[in-house]
Every structure is written in C-alpha cells, then in structure tokens.
C-alpha cells in the first residue's frame, strides 16, 4: 500500500514527526517480519518507472498498519506517524526489473495520462494500444521493522495485523507477505529490541550461510557463528540522513510527504544457531564492526 509522488520541495518535518528516543514508561516495541517473494517500497517513482527503495519506507509500513486498522485513505495518521521506526535488513534480497506491458482488454486505445478541465481522460492521439512501463521489486528479501510507541496503541496494532480489515501488502498490492507477519510486542527500546531479536532468515538460507562460511575457512562442513552483522536504519532526531517518506495523507487528491531524520548503522545480532562454533567469524574492533565483512572475505 505504498503511495508515491513526484519530487516535492524540501520541507522540515513537523516536530511531532521527528524520530527521537522516548522515555520508556508505558512504551514498547511492535515487531513486524516483512518477507515475501516480492516487495516494492516506492518513494519517488511515478508513471512509466516505478522504483523501489532498498528497504521498507515509513510510508509503506504506515500504509500497511492503516490497512490493518481499516482506516479510509483520508483518515488522520497522527497516531501512526508518532511511532518511531527502525528497519533491520536480515536478508536484503536482489533487485528485479519487470518489463510490464499495459493494454485495454476491450481492444480500445489507451487514455492519455493527463485529464481535461472536467477531469476526463481523452484517448491517445495517434491511438496507442500498448504501453510499456518499468517496475522494480526486491525479490526474496526479509526485513524486521520495529515501531516504538505507547503500549496500548501497539497492542491494538498487533491485533489488527493478525486480523486485518483490508488485505495487507509489502508496498504494492501485488506483493502479499508471508507468515508470520507480526512477531509481537516487546518491552524495551527500539535499538535494543532490534539487537536482541535473532536472525529471521529461513532455515534453508541459514544452512547455506553456514556452509558458505565453512568453505571460506577451508572446511567441507558448516561453520556456525553466534552473531552476524545486519544493516539497520533507525529513526533518530540527531540522525545525519533525511528520508522524505513520512505520509501526511494518503488521500489521492491531497498526497503530502514530510521528512524524518535517520541514523544508519550495523547491528550485531544473534544468529540463533543452537551450538555456535565461535562468537563471530571475523576479528572486530572495539565497537564490534568489521569493515571487511562487507567485502565477503
């Protein structure tokens, strides 16, 4: 249920939309597992080219939660936008480019993209019967999206995602999620929950990863580290990057987006292997980060 819009002038996000650590109190973290054969998290793409971001956007996740609650497109989103979001890329997936052809099943010419003053689309001139668009997807990806906020709201969202009012999708309606979609509501702060949650990759992916590490070490058998590093994007008031993916409205006649500050980092998380062979495959610095890990050594 991602909604895209052409590039808009930069504007500062309202104060209540800026990610910031909050005092815990009655706050908790809702954890979602976003996985499926295809995902597409649009932000800037429109018309002939529909792009995808490399990870779920706040617009896409907010749209998913709004659909679960049964909110109409013009409904206020204040409660959902106040949630602080973090995304962890357990399996980044690969980019798929789809050659997409559009035509009218009745055999008539396609309408123009623009509309008249009366809001009516005119037929293409000269008549055009086939239109080619390019659409991008992430295939076989798996992300953990965590949202920090008031416990009562998160409990309500947890129930709504388990029994949604509208069908849920991973960005686009053609991208249904696999189960489980929701992993529950956890006590703690956003970053702490994302660090503590074990790796969510499938058993097949985990086994392949272990054998790959074993071959790198010159062994015919698997190697099971206790932890691995996953990239994460955390909403934070002091973040050094700005993403324009905060949906102020899903109304198709009044779409508007704001920015939010985020911090990108690597989180070392438990792999979940039953009998790990070592804490990690790599030598790490005092912060637990190995720059050579990205090179696949």
């Amino acid at each position: 249920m991602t909604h895209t819009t052409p590039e808009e002038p930069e504007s500062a996000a309202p104060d209540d939309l800026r990610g910031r650590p909050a005092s815990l109190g009655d706050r908790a973290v809702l954890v979602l597992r976003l996985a499926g054969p295809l995902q597409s998290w649009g932000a800037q793409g429109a018309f002939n080219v529909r792009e995808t971001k490399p990870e779920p956007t706040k617009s896409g996740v907010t749209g998913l939660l709004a659909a679960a609650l049964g909110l109409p497109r013009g409904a206020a989103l204040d409660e959902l936008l106040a949630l602080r979001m973090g995304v962890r890329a357990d399996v980044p997936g690969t980019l798929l480019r789809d050659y997409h052809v559009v035509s009218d099943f009745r055999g008539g010419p396609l309408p123009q993209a623009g509309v008249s003053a009366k809001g009516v689309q005119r037929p293409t001139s000269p008549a055009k019967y086939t239109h080619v668009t390019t659409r991008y997807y992430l295939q076989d990806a798996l992300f953990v999206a965590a949202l920090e906020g008031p416990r009562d709201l998160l409990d309500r969202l947890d129930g709504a995602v388990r029994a949604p009012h509208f069908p849920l999708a991973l960005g686009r309606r053609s991208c249904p999620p696999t189960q489980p979609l929701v992993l529950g509501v956890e006590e703690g702060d956003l970053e702490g929950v994302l660090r503590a949650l074990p790796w969510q990759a499938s058993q097949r992916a985990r086994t392949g990863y272990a054998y790959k590490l074993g071959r790198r070490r010159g062994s015919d058998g698997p190697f099971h580290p206790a932890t691995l590093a996953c990239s994460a994007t955390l909403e934070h008031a002091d973040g050094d990057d700005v993403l324009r993916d905060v949906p102020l409205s899903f109304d198709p006649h009044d779409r508007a987006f704001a920015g939010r500050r985020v911090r990108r980092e690597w989180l070392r998380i438990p792999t979940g292997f039953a009998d790990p062979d070592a804490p990690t495959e790599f030598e790490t610095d005092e912060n637990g980060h190995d720059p050579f890990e990205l090179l696949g050594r």
Side-chain angles (χ1 to χ4, degrees), residues 32-274:
L32 302 176
R33 176 184 173 274
L34 305 178
L38 294 175
Q39 307 185 31
S40 188
W41 307 98
Q44 303 297 337
F47 307 114
N48 295 339
V49 179
R50 300 295 179 91
E51 300 176 346
T52 179
K53 293 295 186 181
E55 63 188 17
T57 60
K58 187 152 190 178
S59 173
V61 174
T62 301
L64 184 148
L65 296 176
L69 291 170
L71 299 181
R73 284 184 174 269
L77 301 171
D78 296 353
E79 271 192 321
L80 299 180
L81 298 184
L83 299 175
R84 179 171 171 245
M85 190 175 91
V87 174
R88 194 182 80 186
D90 284 32
V91 182
T94 56
L95 187 65
L96 171 68
R97 179 179 181 270
D98 179 31
Y99 177 82
H100 193 92
V101 178
V102 179
S103 61
D104 190 328
F105 72 94
R106 295 165 297 188
L110 296 173
Q112 297 181 16
V115 297
S116 67
K118 296 181 179 180
V120 178
Q121 286 182 292
R122 294 186 293 267
T124 49
S125 179
K128 184 177 181 180
Y129 294 88
T130 302
H131 184 67
V132 177
T133 67
T134 303
R135 308 192 179 198
Y136 292 90
Y137 299 87
L138 299 175
Q139 54 186 351
D140 300 323
L142 188 156
F143 301 96
V144 173
L147 299 116
E148 181 184 294
R151 178 74 193 227
D152 56 348
L153 172 59
L154 298 184
D155 286 337
R156 183 155 57 93
L157 291 173
D158 178 88
V161 174
R162 295 177 190 275
H165 189 278
F166 296 120
L168 305 182
L170 302 177
R172 292 191 191 141
R173 293 178 183 176
S174 60
C175 303
T178 59
Q179 297 296 325
L181 177 55
V182 60
L183 300 180
V185 178
E186 302 289 340
E187 298 293 339
D189 65 278
L190 183 67
E191 185 173 341
V193 169
L194 287 175
R195 286 186 185 277
L197 184 72
W199 191 30
Q200 295 297 301
S202 67
Q203 185 58 49
R204 179 179 179 180
R206 292 154 59 84
T207 300
Y209 175 73
Y211 273 94
K212 182 178 180 180
L213 293 185
R215 289 193 297 272
R216 289 178 180 173
R217 298 173 68 87
S219 171
D220 293 331
F223 179 79
H224 301 96
T227 64
L228 59 79
C230 279
S231 64
T233 300
L234 305 173
E235 199 168 327
H236 199 282
D238 298 325
D240 54 7
D241 197 2
V242 176
L243 299 179
R244 285 188 58 80
D245 64 352
V246 181
L248 302 181
S249 172
F250 284 138
D251 187 334
H253 301 294
D254 187 28
R255 291 180 183 174
F257 292 81
R260 63 186 176 112
R261 288 197 170 274
V262 298
R263 186 179 73 233
R264 304 182 189 275
E265 59 182 83
W266 290 85
L267 303 180
R268 187 156 289 280
I269 66 170
T271 57
F273 288 126

Side-chain angles (χ1 to χ4, degrees), residues 16-27:
D16 61 335
L17 300 183
R18 293 176 183 166
R20 59 190 182 280
S23 57
L24 292 181
D26 63 345
R27 300 175 72 83

